[in-house]
């Protein structure tokens, strides 16, 4: 060991200023202003605003940094300082679909490492890259709060639970072929950009799609029902003095 | 004697359209806010104190006490921020809660906000859970339309707005002061305390930051009383709570039980361990809580039981690993997580987590040198307790506890790769080509 650190984020230094392209127009700027107006102090809207920038430009673009700074009356350095801190903000264009495979300890052990290798091989790209056709980008995920469904993946931040190699192959084929894909615990997939728009705070009307919960979430509740286990009835316990006072 | 499981928050999960307002109201939803509005705010604080509801986000601080720290004579607005940045490895309870029953959180926010005299509340939800954010956005919209939010709620003269806010991928924002910086549109880095958020939180104003499950537990307490809540649980750890079991059990999942259930009971409920395998170690409350071995199977999973065992209840996230698992491999992966998520503010954490990963990679590859176990512990000694927030402590807890229980396995890393000692494909849930099983 030479003692020299190798950066874990070799490309994370800054926003990519070599690519000045943008789709941001007056409509976007008006929406950014609207986001800023939703908060007691406008700067609180910066994270949602950067999500909106990504929904338009497919990444945090130099123009996006400028307009956020302009709307909030802060410097571009302040905006890019925030944009480069959070992993959901991409400095290079993400794919039409963005695929993530969890490799934090539990998912890794239960098959996540194998699944990530499989996805890399099938897509022909490394983590952090996008396929040349622009259809799919790939990310190594840190824990996505779905450990009871391990090993897990996600596409456009929709859950794909209890993954295995066959399911991973099928998912990637469908994404690459532009077929319709439904999250087992979410909605029909749109695109990563459209997902970013929802995260910014502009709903897409899909909240009622998908189930109430996945099977693992329901396990305890179902066992309780089968065994007639319940929380105690309120009548069985004496009322607290505060309640008496309220009556 | 209470039942083995006591679904309250999860009682309606899985029901048709359980996330909709109409369904929530049909099962008693928004009844508690009417009771609450008949009470004085300070009496609500006392009620939650009397119930002894302790924060469900990991630290276990009494929720009512947190509320009582808000200085009501401070002229600034008061804020309630719900910490929905669920990211601790192993923790997966708030996400299904918000997806299946977002209205119980909204109702809890209304009551809690009224109790602390707050008129603007935030739900800071991690960004990586699109469908959960959709359901939260819709629930808040429905609550406005029904007159539960906005101006003059139910004719009481009380006003409240809720803002659903998506984060952008940073575990550190689950730390309450980092969350507040993030919510102010900054890099999510912890603040030095004091002042605590109750005095100077969001926009330097009095702020309460509570976990999703804590706030969602409030309507049931208001509806049924403190004594009812106290009738569940152990001597000092009261009430119902969500236990999340993941890993090498036959059926992982969420179990809402009285405080103090044991892992043995939870594993039995999940149908036992994988066939032909035994428990090797587990985290009681996420990866930041020191691991336990089979000796911990019968210790009550409550605050006191876990503290006595030298660990913490944390988020009650039980990650269960069986005898196929290399503890060196999992420790490395846990520490890689902390390295990735360290915000970079404090040198011991920022640099130390990198050193730990480098050294643990040598252990995994069987290339560590004689004495490196002590070096590992020495590095941990220089990280833990030497940073602003608890991330650093979590990063070393998984290392020191793993060495404590499995020192010989680390010493094998002086000569043999972990993947030879514990072929990795055997830990996976699915068969891999070339793996005879």
């Amino acid at each position: 060991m030479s003692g020299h650190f190798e950066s874990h984020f070799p490309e994370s230094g800054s926003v990519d200023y070599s690519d000045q392209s943008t789709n941001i127009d007056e409509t976007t700027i008006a929406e950014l202003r609207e986001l800023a107006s939703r908060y007691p102090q406008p700067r609180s809207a910066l994270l949602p605003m950067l999500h909106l920038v990504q929904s338009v430009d497919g990444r945090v673009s130099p123009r996006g940094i400028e307009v956020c700074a302009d709307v909030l009356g802060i410097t571009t350095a302040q905006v890019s300082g925030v944009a480069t801190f959070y992993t959901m903000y991409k400095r290079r264009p993400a794919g039409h679909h963005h695929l993530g495979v969890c490799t934090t300890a539990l998912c890794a052990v239960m098959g996540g490492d194998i699944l990530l290798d499989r996805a890399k091989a099938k897509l022909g790209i490394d983590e952090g890259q996008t396929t040349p056709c622009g259809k799919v980008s790939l990310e190594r995920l840190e824990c996505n709060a779905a450990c009871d469904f391990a090993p897990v993946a996600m596409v456009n931040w929709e859950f794909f639970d209890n993954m295995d190699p066959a399911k991973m192959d099928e998912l990637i084929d469908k994404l690459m072929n532009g077929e319709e894909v439904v999250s087992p615990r979410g909605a029909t997939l749109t695109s990563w950009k459209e997902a970013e728009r929802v995260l910014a705070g502009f709903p897409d009307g899909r909240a009622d799609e998908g189930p109430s919960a996945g099977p693992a979430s329901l396990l305890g509740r179902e066992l309780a029902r089968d065994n007639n286990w319940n929380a105690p009835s309120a009548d069985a316990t004496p009322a607290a003095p505060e309640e008496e006072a309220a009556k | 004697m209470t039942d083995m499981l006591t679904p309250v928050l999860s009682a309606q999960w899985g029901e048709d359209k359980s996330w909709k307002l109409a369904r929530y109201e049909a099962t008693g939803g928004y009844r508690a806010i009417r009771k609450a509005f008949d009470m004085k705010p300070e009496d609500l604080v006392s009620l939650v104190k009397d119930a002894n509801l302790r924060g469900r986000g990991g630290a276990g601080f009494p929720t009512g006490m947190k509320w009582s720290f808000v200085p009501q004579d401070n002229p600034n607005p008061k804020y309630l921020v719900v910490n929905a940045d669920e990211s601790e490895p192993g923790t997966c309870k708030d996400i299904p809660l918000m997806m299946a029953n977002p209205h119980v959180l909204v109702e809890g926010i209304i009551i809690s906000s009224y109790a602390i005299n707050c008129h603007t509340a935030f739900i800071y939800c991690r960004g990586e859970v699109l469908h959960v954010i959709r359901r939260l956005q819709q629930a808040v919209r429905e609550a406005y339309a029904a007159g539960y939010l906005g101006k003059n709620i139910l004719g009481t003269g009380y006003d409240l707005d809720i803002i659903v806010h998506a984060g952008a991928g940073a575990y550190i924002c689950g730390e309450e002061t980092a969350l507040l910086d993030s919510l102010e549109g900054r890099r999510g880095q912890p603040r030095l305390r004091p002042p605590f958020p109750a005095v100077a939180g969001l926009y330097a104003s009095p702020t309460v930051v509570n976990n999703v499950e804590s706030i969602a537990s409030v309507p049931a307490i208001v509806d049924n009383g403190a004594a009812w809540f106290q009738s569940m649980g152990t001597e000092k750890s009261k009430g119902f709570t969500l236990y999340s079991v993941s890993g090498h059990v036959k059926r992982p999942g969420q179990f809402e039980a009285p405080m103090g259930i044991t892992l043995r009971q939870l594993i039995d409920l999940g149908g036992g361990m994988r066939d032909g395998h035994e428990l090797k170690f587990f985290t009681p409350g996420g990866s930041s809580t020191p691991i336990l071995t089979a000796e911990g199977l019968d210790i009550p999973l409550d605050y006191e039981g876990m503290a006595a065992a030298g660990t913490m209840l944390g988020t009650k996230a039980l990650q269960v690993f069986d005898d196929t698992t290399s503890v060196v491999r999992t420790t490395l992966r846990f520490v890689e997580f902390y390295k990735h998520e360290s915000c970079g503010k404090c040198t011991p954490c920022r640099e130390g987590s990198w050193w730990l990963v480098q050294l643990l990679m040598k252990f995994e590859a069987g290339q560590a040198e004689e004495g490196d176990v002590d070096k590992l512990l020495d590095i941990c000694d220089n990280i833990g307790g030497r940073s602003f927030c608890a991330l650093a402590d979590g990063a070393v807890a998984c290392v020191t506890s793993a060495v404590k229980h499995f020192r010989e396995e680390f010493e094998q890393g002086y000569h043999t790769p972990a993947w030879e000692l514990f072929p990795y494909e055997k830990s996976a849930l699915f068969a891999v080509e070339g793996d005879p099983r």
Side-chain angles (χ1 to χ4, degrees):
Chain A
M1 284 249 144
S2 65
H4 293 291
F5 286 133
E6 190 182 333
S7 171
H8 191 60
F9 308 101
E11 294 155 10
S12 71
S14 66
V15 173
D16 182 5
Y17 285 95
S18 66
D19 178 359
Q20 292 284 336
S21 65
T22 186
N23 298 312
I24 292 172
D25 59 14
E26 285 308 314
T27 309
T28 314
I29 292 169
E31 286 178 340
L32 290 170
R33 289 191 193 285
E34 194 211 317
L35 287 174
S37 74
R38 292 182 186 179
Y39 290 82
Q41 294 191 11
R43 184 167 173 172
S44 282
L46 182 52
L47 266 61
M49 288 165 72
L50 288 167
H51 281 305
L52 189 71
V53 164
Q54 296 207 114
S55 78
V56 176
D57 277 349
R59 66 188 171 111
V60 176
S61 58
R63 177 68 184 146
I65 300 265
E66 281 173 17
V67 293
C68 286
D70 189 42
V71 166
L72 296 177
I74 58 179
T75 67
T76 52
Q78 287 172 312
V79 177
S80 58
V82 171
T84 53
F85 182 82
Y86 297 93
T87 51
M88 288 178 80
Y89 298 134
K90 305 300 173 200
R91 292 130 198 167
R92 303 266 176 80
H96 180 72
H97 293 300
H98 185 55
L99 169 66
V101 183
C102 180
T103 61
T104 306
L106 185 107
C107 273
V109 163
M110 296 182 75
D113 279 359
I114 297 164
L115 293 171
L116 181 62
D117 285 345
R118 187 101 173 185
K120 283 185 198 171
K122 195 152 169 71
L123 289 166
I125 55 173
D126 206 349
E127 60 200 66
Q129 295 181 339
T130 305
T131 55
C133 61
K135 283 180 184 160
V136 179
S137 46
L138 180 64
E139 175 174 341
R140 172 193 290 268
L141 284 188
E142 296 292 0
C143 188
N144 213 32
C147 316
D148 45 350
F149 296 97
V152 302
M154 73 83 197
V155 181
N156 308 339
W157 306 116
E158 296 266 22
F159 298 109
F160 285 82
D161 301 329
N162 303 117
M163 293 298 285
D164 61 33
K167 283 188 193 171
M168 182 59 77
D169 286 354
E170 190 194 345
L171 176 62
I172 290 174
D173 283 340
K174 285 187 169 171
L175 295 177
M176 290 298 283
N177 294 333
E179 292 172 43
E180 183 179 282
V181 180
V182 181
S183 159
R185 206 152 48 95
T188 304
L189 290 190
T190 52
S191 65
W192 176 75
K193 281 188 184 178
E194 286 164 277
E196 280 291 309
R197 185 173 169 80
V198 177
L199 298 182
F202 295 99
D204 63 359
R206 292 176 181 270
D208 289 336
E209 290 186 32
S212 164
S217 310
L218 297 175
L219 179 57
R221 180 183 169 271
E222 278 166 7
L223 288 168
R225 177 166 297 181
D226 294 347
N227 291 286
N228 197 26
W229 290 330
N230 295 294
S233 111
D235 308 330
T237 51
E242 283 75 13
E243 283 195 308
E244 290 297 317
K247 275 172 194 164
Chain B
M1 187 66 200
T2 43
D3 289 344
M4 174 85 85
L5 296 177
T6 50
V8 176
L9 299 175
S10 63
Q12 298 302 321
W13 294 6
E15 296 296 327
D16 185 39
K17 302 276 191 289
S18 65
W19 60 90
K20 301 286 277 186
L21 177 73
R23 174 78 208 174
Y24 184 62
E25 285 178 320
T27 53
Y30 292 107
R31 191 168 61 204
I33 59 166
R34 294 178 164 86
K35 278 194 184 180
F37 285 140
D38 284 339
M39 295 169 66
K40 290 189 201 135
E42 56 268 33
D43 290 341
L44 278 167
V45 175
S46 302
L47 173 67
V48 173
K49 262 190 191 169
D50 289 346
N52 198 14
L53 169 65
R54 296 173 67 172
R56 302 301 198 221
F61 193 81
T63 303
M65 189 143 3
K66 217 174 194 182
W67 295 0
S68 70
F69 291 157
V70 172
Q72 290 299 335
D73 56 352
N74 186 312
N76 287 351
K78 322 289 181 287
Y79 295 106
L80 173 69
V81 180
V82 174
N83 185 345
D85 194 47
E86 181 166 67
S87 311
E88 168 78 15
T91 311
C92 48
K93 64 190 177 68
D94 297 335
I95 293 303
L97 169 63
M98 293 186 286
M99 182 133 102
N101 193 0
H103 279 288
V104 74
L105 177 61
V106 173
E107 185 175 16
I109 293 171
I110 298 168
I111 296 169
S112 308
S113 298
Y114 175 71
I116 62 165
N117 194 22
C118 142
H119 301 285
T120 307
F122 300 84
I123 304 172
Y124 185 111
C125 185
R126 68 180 299 182
E128 300 98 322
V129 289
L130 174 64
H131 209 55
V132 172
I133 286 164
R134 284 192 183 111
R135 296 244 165 112
L136 286 172
Q137 289 170 339
Q138 175 171 281
V140 168
R141 225 166 36 243
E142 284 183 316
Y144 271 105
Y148 296 134
L149 289 174
K151 299 280 179 208
N152 191 20
I153 296 168
L154 300 181
T156 57
Y158 175 67
D159 305 336
L160 177 67
D161 288 309
I162 295 182
I163 298 169
V164 177
H165 182 94
Y171 165 70
I172 190 61
C173 293
E175 197 282 334
E176 63 178 12
T177 61
L179 186 154
L180 294 174
D181 261 33
S182 178
L183 187 52
E184 290 181 357
R186 300 168 200 279
R187 297 164 80 97
Q189 295 189 317
R191 301 173 178 175
L192 188 62
R193 293 171 292 187
F196 287 89
V199 176
L202 187 68
Y203 314 135
S205 297
T207 303
V208 167
V209 185
N210 280 144
N211 169 258
V212 169
E213 189 190 342
S214 310
I215 292 291
S217 299
V218 169
I221 292 171
V222 170
D223 207 19
N224 300 311
W228 169 81
F229 191 76
Q230 293 245 15
S231 74
M232 288 172 267
T234 53
E235 194 188 339
K236 288 185 179 163
S237 301
K238 297 298 185 187
F240 53 84
T241 195
L242 286 161
Y243 290 94
S244 310
V245 181
S246 58
H248 289 131
V249 294
K250 281 216 183 91
R251 290 195 297 168
Q254 304 298 317
F255 301 89
E256 196 173 1
M259 276 278 176
I261 196 168
T262 66
L263 181 59
R264 188 184 301 280
Q265 290 170 312
L266 287 167
I267 291 176
D268 284 349
L269 288 169
M273 298 292 294
R274 287 202 295 176
D275 282 333
H277 295 286
E278 289 176 359
L279 172 82
K280 181 171 175 181
F281 63 95
F282 68 97
T283 69
S287 58
S288 301
T289 57
I291 63 168
L292 295 175
T293 62
E295 289 173 4
L297 272 171
D298 296 306
I299 304 175
L301 292 165
D302 61 10
Y303 298 104
E304 294 71 34
M306 289 299 105
T311 181
M312 291 177 291
L313 185 63
T315 52
K316 307 147 287 146
L318 299 129
Q319 303 176 88
V320 176
F321 297 93
D322 72 16
D323 50 13
T324 64
T325 312
S326 160
V327 75
V328 171
R329 179 192 188 196
T330 52
T331 304
L332 169 60
R333 257 339 141 79
F334 281 140
V335 176
E336 281 186 290
F337 172 84
Y338 293 103
K339 175 186 130 183
H340 185 265
E341 301 299 334
S342 173
C343 77
K345 182 164 182 160
C346 310
T347 307
C349 173
R350 182 186 66 242
E351 302 293 329
S353 56
W354 286 70
W355 280 107
L356 285 179
V357 166
Q358 289 205 355
L359 197 50
L360 283 164
M361 284 172 78
K362 288 168 72 182
F363 277 99
E364 187 190 32
Q367 290 166 0
E369 291 163 31
E370 201 78 35
D372 276 354
V373 174
D374 291 323
K375 187 187 279 181
L376 203 56
L377 295 175
D378 187 47
I379 295 173
C380 288
D381 222 29
N382 282 289
I383 300 173
R386 284 167 158 76
S387 300
F388 269 47
C389 81
L391 187 144
D393 303 332
V396 299
C398 58
V399 181
T400 53
S401 60
V403 172
K404 178 180 146 197
H405 293 294
F406 299 101
R407 191 178 178 104
E408 314 73 55
E409 206 176 308
F410 281 86
E411 285 169 353
Q412 285 174 309
Y414 296 161
H415 44 74
T416 313
W419 51 80
E420 285 180 15
L421 296 167
F422 297 93
Y424 288 176
E425 65 275 11
K426 300 244 184 297
S427 299
L429 280 200
F430 43 77
V432 182
E433 275 167 52
D435 169 22
R437 295 230 162 202

